């Protein structure tokens, strides 16, 4: 698949991160074409930071990199799913996953 096909609808698309062993959802981020290319090249998860408006490699400051084992796209080719081996907690709060707050 040509990476450009992923970004026909939008310059940014969501990417879901799952632990490759437990299948636990670790985080959701946004990616662009450059970040996907860097992810493929480095085998670590790259994202586009909407708040900082720049590329970032998850783990670049914390050391908690996400090593990408597999990448999939959904049926509409507008969302990505990365299966990763995390080096440590994924959430910036220190939690293993960003999804730790109960709503109900």
């Amino acid at each position: 698949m040509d990476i450009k096909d992923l970004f026909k609808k939008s310059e940014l698309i969501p990417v879901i991160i799952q632990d490759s062993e437990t299948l636990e959802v670790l985080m959701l981020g946004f990616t662009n074409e450059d970040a996907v290319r860097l992810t493929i090249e480095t085998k670590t998860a790259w994202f586009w930071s909407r708040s900082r408006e720049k590329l970032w490699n998850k783990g670049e400051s914390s050391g908690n990199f996400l090593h990408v084992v597999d990448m999939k796209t959904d049926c509409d080719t507008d969302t990505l799913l990365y299966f990763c081996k995390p080096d440590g907690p994924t959430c910036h709060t220190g939690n293993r996953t960003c999804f730790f707050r109960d709503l109900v």
Side-chain angles (χ1 to χ4, degrees), residues 9-62:
K9 297 176 191 171
S10 177
E11 291 180 11
L12 291 179
I13 61 172
V15 55
I16 302 161
I17 305 297
Q18 276 187 274
D19 185 297
S20 62
E21 293 177 8
T22 68
L23 301 183
E24 180 179 26
V25 175
L26 300 176
M27 68 172 281
L28 178 129
F30 288 87
T31 191
N32 65 11
E33 192 174 330
D34 291 335
V36 171
R37 288 187 196 287
L38 284 166
T39 297
I40 292 168
E41 289 172 16
T42 66
K43 304 283 194 256
T44 60
W46 284 78
F47 302 92
W48 176 259
S49 171
R50 296 180 301 163
S51 59
R52 295 177 291 183
E53 296 187 355
K54 70 174 199 166
L55 290 169
W56 63 283
N57 184 212
K58 175 69 178 114
E60 64 191 356
S61 59
S62 67

Side-chain angles (χ1 to χ4, degrees), residues 42-94:
T42 66
K43 304 283 194 256
T44 60
W46 284 78
F47 302 92
W48 176 259
S49 171
R50 296 180 301 163
S51 59
R52 295 177 291 183
E53 296 187 355
K54 70 174 199 166
L55 290 169
W56 63 283
N57 184 212
K58 175 69 178 114
E60 64 191 356
S61 59
S62 67
N64 296 327
F65 290 95
L66 294 168
H67 301 276
V68 180
V69 175
D70 194 14
M71 299 169 70
K72 296 193 181 298
T73 186
D74 71 335
C75 57
D76 295 324
T77 320
D78 60 6
T79 302
L80 293 174
L81 175 62
Y82 294 173
F83 294 93
C84 299
K85 289 186 179 181
D87 278 339
T90 299
C91 187
H92 72 281
T93 64

